[in-house]
Amino acid sequence: MTGNEVIAWAAIAAKADIMYGYPITPQNEIMHYWTRMAPKAGKKFLQTEDELSAGFTTIGGVLAGKRAFTGTAGPGNTLMQEPVSMAEMMRLPMVIVIQQRGGPSTATVIYSQQETNLTCYGGNGEGLRVVYSTATHQDLFDYTIKAFNTAWKYRFPTFVLADGYQAKMRESLTMYDPKDRGIDMVPVEPILGKPGVPGIDRSPTHIRNTYNTEEELYDVIMSIAQDYEKFAPEIIEYDEQNINDAEIIIISHGVVSRAAYGAMLELREQGYKVGYFRPITLRPFPAKQLFNRARQAKMLIVVESALGQLAKLVKDAIYGCATPIENLSKPGVGIISEEIVERVKTLLKGGHFNVS
């Protein structure tokens, strides 16, 4: 099935209650499939007048105690950052699926990894959110389910960051009921409008996104940041292969990591000590893990369909490590394994570094 269809099925499996959304390519079919399946499963859908409204109505659903989510892409992701910033400040478990398209602005409706910066650090806050970068349809299913649990457990806005290729291509996967795999869905509850009288039957609920003084805001932000740092080790995920003896490490995320993995295998067969590192969570980023691997290598090659957005995350993560970094950047364009193999061999021939 297509990736968009997978997401709709995963949301049903996760017992999502309602989707709010507005059409934008390439995520439209998430809404289409959801509206086909939702009535049969007793679920609901609301099409809003734009992505800004979709974000705020998703917050409304969450406040009412519903396992709510939305999906968007490109310019819609830009508009979504205001409600996401609100969710960050108010610690609301918002779930957002992003099917990246080319940018800036309207650009193409096809594919890119150019929404990495926006998704990880958009809005006017500190980017205290969770971002899962998916590579396969199995990832789409698994991490859509996980996103709801992560959001409601840790109370941070949580993204599933995919792309236009994943949205449209067809691929097999294993679907399952989370219960059958021992996955318990984190219970949801009304955040506002709980039964009982506040201060008598229960503690009052007090959530804010507006503060009167600099000192007050500082205290709140530091408290949220401390929680984020505390929970980060529990959330961080990454994949690495053939890394222990690697002299060259190919770093990529999302669908591009499939090409990177293939390139690593081909280069290994030819006798090159090449490893593969894929951050699955871009926020929080597996910084310590990558730093430790980077120190052992002679060269890092960051491969992405953007102009240095992943590279920026990598450079921040390994600050203080002297291992040189090379890039293969093709914004808005797909990357195949042959291109990565050629890039590695070109670097070797050019004497950029010595390998045994």
Side-chain angles (χ1 to χ4, degrees), residues 16-22 27-28 30-32 34-35 43-47 58 67-72:
D17 295 303
I18 185 168
M19 179 182 183
Y20 303 88
Y22 183 78
Q27 74 82 36
N28 287 334
I30 300 175
M31 300 192 308
H32 296 168
W34 175 263
T35 52
K43 312 299 184 181
K44 296 185 177 182
F45 172 76
L46 176 67
Q47 180 174 319
T58 301
R67 198 175 271 115
F69 75 108
T70 186
T72 190

Side-chain angles (χ1 to χ4, degrees), residues 229-273:
E229 293 302 318
K230 174 184 173 184
F231 297 140
E234 301 173 20
I235 298 170
I236 285 171
E237 293 188 45
Y238 62 98
D239 183 26
E240 58 181 13
Q241 302 293 331
N242 288 327
I243 206 85
N244 290 329
D245 67 340
E247 296 179 333
I248 307 165
I249 300 176
I250 303 171
I251 304 169
S252 60
H253 78 98
V255 76
V256 174
S257 64
R258 297 166 68 140
Y261 182 75
M264 179 272 295
L265 292 178
E266 183 177 338
L267 288 161
R268 278 273 168 180
E269 287 176 3
Q270 296 175 23
Y272 299 103
K273 292 182 178 179

Side-chain angles (χ1 to χ4, degrees), residues 20-290:
Y20 303 88
Y22 183 78
I24 188 168
T25 306
Q27 74 82 36
N28 287 334
E29 291 85 3
I30 300 175
M31 300 192 308
H32 296 168
Y33 289 118
W34 175 263
T35 52
R36 288 181 194 175
M37 296 186 291
K40 301 173 188 175
K43 312 299 184 181
K44 296 185 177 182
F45 172 76
L46 176 67
Q47 180 174 319
T48 59
E49 63 266 35
D50 54 31
E51 292 87 355
L52 190 64
S53 301
F56 282 118
T57 49
T58 301
I59 286 177
V62 166
L63 290 172
K66 302 299 181 183
R67 198 175 271 115
F69 75 108
T70 186
T72 190
N77 193 3
T78 304
L79 288 172
M80 202 75 74
Q81 293 307 313
E82 185 177 349
V84 170
S85 295
M86 183 176 176
E88 178 183 331
M89 174 60 83
M90 298 168 74
R91 297 293 297 276
L92 300 177
M94 187 181 186
V95 173
I96 312 101
V97 179
I98 304 296
Q99 297 288 28
Q100 297 174 91
R101 56 188 270 176
S105 190
T106 302
T108 68
V109 298
I110 305 167
Y111 156 81
S112 80
Q113 293 186 317
Q114 293 171 277
E115 296 177 52
T116 299
N117 285 345
L118 178 64
T119 306
C120 290
Y121 289 100
N124 61 334
E126 301 299 327
L128 300 176
R129 54 188 63 177
V130 178
V131 180
Y132 292 114
S133 175
T134 59
T136 66
H137 282 23
Q138 193 63 58
D139 279 353
L140 287 174
F141 192 83
D142 296 344
Y143 286 101
T144 297
I145 292 171
K146 180 171 276 191
F148 287 102
N149 270 356
T150 299
W152 280 92
K153 179 177 180 180
Y154 299 106
R155 300 296 177 99
F156 287 104
T158 302
F159 287 86
V160 176
L161 182 64
D163 60 70
Y165 285 171
Q166 294 179 64
K168 303 296 186 179
M169 72 184 185
R170 293 184 179 273
E171 184 170 74
S172 61
L173 73 149
T174 300
M175 297 196 296
Y176 52 85
D177 184 331
K179 227 186 256 186
D180 295 339
R181 297 206 173 181
I183 301 171
D184 295 322
M185 297 309 298
V186 174
V188 300
E189 60 177 358
I191 296 171
L192 295 180
K194 294 179 181 179
V197 179
I200 298 177
D201 304 313
R202 60 174 175 84
S203 298
T205 301
H206 187 205
I207 54 175
R208 295 173 64 185
N209 70 326
T210 304
Y211 294 89
N212 298 323
T213 68
E214 295 167 353
E215 292 77 13
E216 191 178 21
L217 178 60
Y218 170 82
D219 289 341
V220 171
I221 292 173
M222 294 307 293
S223 175
I224 297 172
Q226 285 165 10
D227 278 354
Y228 189 83
E229 293 302 318
K230 174 184 173 184
F231 297 140
E234 301 173 20
I235 298 170
I236 285 171
E237 293 188 45
Y238 62 98
D239 183 26
E240 58 181 13
Q241 302 293 331
N242 288 327
I243 206 85
N244 290 329
D245 67 340
E247 296 179 333
I248 307 165
I249 300 176
I250 303 171
I251 304 169
S252 60
H253 78 98
V255 76
V256 174
S257 64
R258 297 166 68 140
Y261 182 75
M264 179 272 295
L265 292 178
E266 183 177 338
L267 288 161
R268 278 273 168 180
E269 287 176 3
Q270 296 175 23
Y272 299 103
K273 292 182 178 179
V274 176
Y276 159 93
F277 189 96
R278 172 197 166 201
I280 297 174
T281 48
L282 300 182
R283 287 286 290 152
F285 196 83
K288 290 180 182 177
Q289 294 85 351
L290 181 57

